[in-house]
Amino acid sequence: MKSFFSGGLIRILLVVVAWMGVGTVMAAQRPNVVVVLCDDLRWDTLSCAGHPHVKTPNIDRLAAEGVRFANAFCTTSLCSPSRASILSGLYAHAHGVMDNFTEFPSNLPNFPARLKAAGWRTAYIGKWHMGEDNDAPRPGFDYWVSHKGQGKYFGTEFNVNGVRETPEGYYTKVVTDYAVDFVLRQTPGHPFLLFLGHKAPHSFYIPEPKYSNIFDNVEVRYPDTAFALEGKPEWVKQRLDTWHGIYGPLFEWRKQFPDRRPEAVKDFAAMTRAYWGTILSVDDSVGRLYQTLQAIGQLDNTIFIFMGDNGLLNGEHGMVDKRTMHEPSIRIPLLVRYPPEFKRPRVVEQMVLTVDVAPTILDLCGLPPLPNIHGRSLKNIARTGRGEWRSSFFYAYNYEKQFPYTPNVRGVRTAEWKYIHYPHGDGSPDRHMAELYHLRVDPEERHNLINDPAQAGRVRELRRELERLMRVASALPDRMPLDEGVKSELPDAKIR
């Protein structure tokens, strides 16, 4: 593997001269595409989103020079289903990757394959995480650098186009080395796609050594909602006893909750600081990619996308993990820099989804859309911040036997309201209880209004909207059933 500095200044200068000598007009070139995907990155853990402690100047620069989507969401808050939705523009019930152990279907249309067929040189580098025990090169990519499962922050074995390599060093830096080297090896004037999948900031959180102690002096406490569970569904309360709540079965920091003892608060703070630390290395990675594209004269001819696959609860409502439809779980960061189309920096407030990424990329590249997808191109609202757009979307998570602490989830979110319910499917219907939140006045989802008589009409309205959205997306009741006892007001409804 060659690093960014392996050829020294002479190599960099030669590459720059080659690119400058192409003699083509930048605007006339087909754009390159760089997608940087993080794992479990909360939408608010960037300084451009207002985080008071985690400073991300390189990511912030993308926001300052491009478009930041302030209300971006995943349609399933789970790594593999969300990644499949990003590639295909489809909800999980349509692409079939319903859990973290299922392969992305090799024959399913996706944007990297479409770009490759149209002449782009395509690379996937980093965490793929669809097919837990398979690291073989996947269709649609000319260059492949990935590994089995989650990978490790140190000592991950990569499959590099069929050759095994275990590079020394920190995961985030290693995959960035591969990515930078791929960019520098591209033929001037020939478009490329680089899809870089970081492990960070997924658990178990191990920061790069230089960032291990950077937040030691920052006071970290449980979020206010960690212990405020009045009105929450029974499965949330049971999770505290059965699955150790805040720390969860996936986290080894502590196995007891609720726990306000000083040593417990100390453990929670250490876990949170470690999470933050991994993000700083991601910001370094974004900076290196930015500088590399700038050095070869292709920065402004590159659609540069930075995003997360899903959010993460960090103590809110007594939970760590994702899967649920609560705001920290479903909100993601999404930034797009591409000056030829998005000439003015902008913050877009409309609700956008992971399924919108594939159609946006193909639209910006001037290629035909994928067939029968659920997403829409973001190009027009990114240009102006205005225009007709969705006013609601539905969310779906399917119960996993391997992770029994979260039941099936179906819900609908609008700009102002959220309705969540838990259809049968995990064998414990007595645990289920719907949730209703007025997000405009209660953004932290503290007050569940589901039993408020004054909101009965609102609940009926949102149930109808949820069913409508599911039908439009062909999420048929026999595959994604609403809960028993819900009577639809649509004449053709057959709800189980």
Side-chain angles (χ1 to χ4, degrees):
M1 178 188 66
K2 299 177 182 178
S3 73
F4 179 70
F5 298 103
S6 60
L9 290 175
I10 293 176
R11 181 183 179 205
I12 295 173
L13 289 172
L14 289 173
V15 172
V16 172
V17 170
W19 279 93
M20 292 177 65
V22 173
T24 57
V25 178
M26 182 72 70
Q29 293 181 4
R30 294 180 294 175
N32 311 304
V33 181
V34 171
V35 179
V36 178
L37 179 66
C38 290
D39 196 315
D40 287 4
L41 177 60
R42 288 174 61 106
W43 70 278
D44 57 354
T45 317
L46 305 172
S47 43
C48 61
H51 199 278
H53 307 299
V54 180
K55 303 304 179 184
T56 51
N58 295 298
I59 298 168
D60 295 353
R61 182 168 49 188
L62 297 182
E65 298 174 359
V67 181
R68 180 169 72 88
F69 295 91
N71 289 288
F73 301 89
C74 59
T75 52
T76 298
S77 185
L78 187 61
C79 299
S80 298
S82 188
R83 288 161 184 260
S85 292
I86 292 166
L87 292 172
S88 67
L90 296 169
Y91 268 84
H93 72 273
H95 60 57
V97 182
M98 308 288 273
D99 55 35
N100 276 350
F101 308 97
T102 301
E103 288 277 357
F104 185 84
S106 59
N107 61 347
L108 185 68
N110 59 83
F111 82 83
R114 177 65 58 84
L115 288 174
K116 176 177 167 62
W120 271 253
R121 180 163 171 77
T122 58
Y124 194 95
I125 297 172
K127 182 177 178 180
W128 173 257
H129 202 234
M130 283 176 282
E132 189 77 7
D133 297 319
N134 181 12
D135 63 2
R138 303 307 204 269
F141 296 101
D142 299 298
Y143 183 60
W144 177 265
V145 181
S146 193
H147 51 80
K148 297 178 181 179
Q150 295 285 349
K152 299 179 290 185
Y153 280 104
F154 291 94
T156 295
E157 181 185 74
F158 290 88
N159 182 330
V160 183
N161 274 6
V163 178
R164 304 285 177 179
E165 295 184 5
T166 307
E168 295 183 359
Y170 189 66
Y171 184 104
T172 307
K173 185 179 182 300
V174 166
V175 295
T176 307
D177 287 343
Y178 281 116
V180 167
D181 189 67
F182 169 80
V183 171
L184 290 177
R185 287 189 287 104
Q186 298 316 296
T187 303
H190 193 102
F192 62 84
L193 160 69
L194 166 64
F195 202 129
L196 176 59
H198 285 295
K199 173 179 175 60
H202 195 282
S203 67
F204 299 105
Y205 313 132
I206 302 176
E208 196 171 357
K210 65 180 178 178
Y211 294 130
S212 292
N213 303 106
I214 196 167
F215 297 112
D216 283 359
N217 295 324
V218 176
E219 183 179 16
V220 179
R221 296 182 178 182
Y222 292 129
D224 291 342
T225 60
F227 300 93
L229 302 183
E230 184 178 356
K232 289 294 185 285
E234 279 303 306
W235 71 267
V236 173
K237 299 172 184 178
Q238 290 177 13
R239 176 174 174 160
L240 300 184
D241 298 326
T242 307
W243 299 106
H244 314 292
I246 269 185
Y247 300 96
L250 303 180
F251 297 83
E252 298 298 332
W253 298 85
R254 179 169 288 270
K255 290 291 189 180
Q256 183 178 350
F257 181 82
D259 194 343
R260 288 187 172 94
R261 292 178 301 168
E263 57 267 37
V265 176
K266 181 179 178 180
D267 285 346
F268 178 77
M271 183 176 72
T272 301
R273 292 186 189 111
Y275 176 84
W276 292 348
T278 66
I279 297 169
L280 300 184
S281 296
V282 171
D283 187 68
D284 290 344
S285 172
V286 170
R288 288 183 61 195
L289 289 173
Y290 186 104
Q291 292 165 7
T292 303
L293 292 167
Q294 194 172 47
I296 64 174
Q298 286 294 297
L299 177 61
D300 287 351
N301 189 45
T302 298
I303 303 163
F304 200 140
I305 298 174
F306 177 85
M307 66 181 301
D309 58 358
N310 49 253
L312 188 77
L313 292 145
N314 192 47
E316 292 87 357
H317 317 301
M319 292 183 278
V320 162
D321 196 31
K322 50 263 188 180
R323 292 176 168 86
T324 80
M325 196 187 171
H326 301 102
E327 290 290 282
S329 174
I330 65 173
R331 296 188 72 166
I332 61 170
L334 177 60
L335 312 173
V336 181
R337 184 193 188 277
Y338 184 47
E341 288 289 349
F342 312 134
K343 302 182 189 305
R344 293 179 51 196
R346 188 180 305 281
V347 176
V348 172
E349 298 293 340
Q350 288 93 330
M351 295 184 295
V352 304
L353 306 175
T354 43
V355 294
D356 297 329
V357 173
T360 300
I361 290 172
L362 294 178
D363 190 10
L364 292 173
C365 291
L367 296 178
L370 300 171
N372 303 317
I373 62 170
H374 299 127
R376 301 169 58 183
S377 173
L378 302 172
K379 184 169 75 171
N380 289 335
I381 63 163
R383 279 173 167 172
T384 67
R386 300 186 302 273
E388 182 182 354
W389 195 247
R390 67 171 61 89
S391 59
S392 62
F393 71 92
F394 83 92
Y395 173 86
Y397 163 78
N398 289 306
Y399 169 79
E400 304 163 272
K401 291 181 179 179
Q402 301 93 334
F403 302 93
Y405 47 82
T406 306
N408 282 327
V409 184
R410 305 287 182 262
V412 59
R413 190 192 191 279
T414 71
E416 190 168 352
W417 291 90
K418 181 188 292 183
Y419 169 71
I420 317 171
H421 71 234
Y422 304 96
H424 299 188
D426 65 353
S428 304
D430 58 319
R431 297 195 303 160
H432 303 136
M433 172 181 168
E435 297 179 71
L436 176 71
Y437 299 105
H438 192 181
L439 297 173
R440 182 171 59 82
V441 299
D442 182 23
E444 293 184 336
E445 300 169 305
R446 293 170 179 266
H447 307 293
N448 183 7
L449 303 176
I450 195 66
N451 292 321
D452 183 350
Q455 301 300 336
R458 179 78 58 186
V459 171
R460 288 193 296 270
E461 174 189 335
L462 290 170
R463 280 176 167 173
R464 287 196 299 267
E465 179 63 2
L466 173 57
E467 183 179 341
R468 184 191 71 81
L469 290 168
M470 290 172 63
R471 289 190 176 279
V472 169
S474 298
L476 300 177
D478 63 340
R479 299 185 69 180
M480 301 178 66
L482 296 178
D483 48 351
E484 292 182 8
V486 174
K487 302 300 183 183
S488 170
E489 298 187 20
L490 299 180
D492 62 342
K494 245 175 118 178
I495 303 300
R496 291 184 176 182

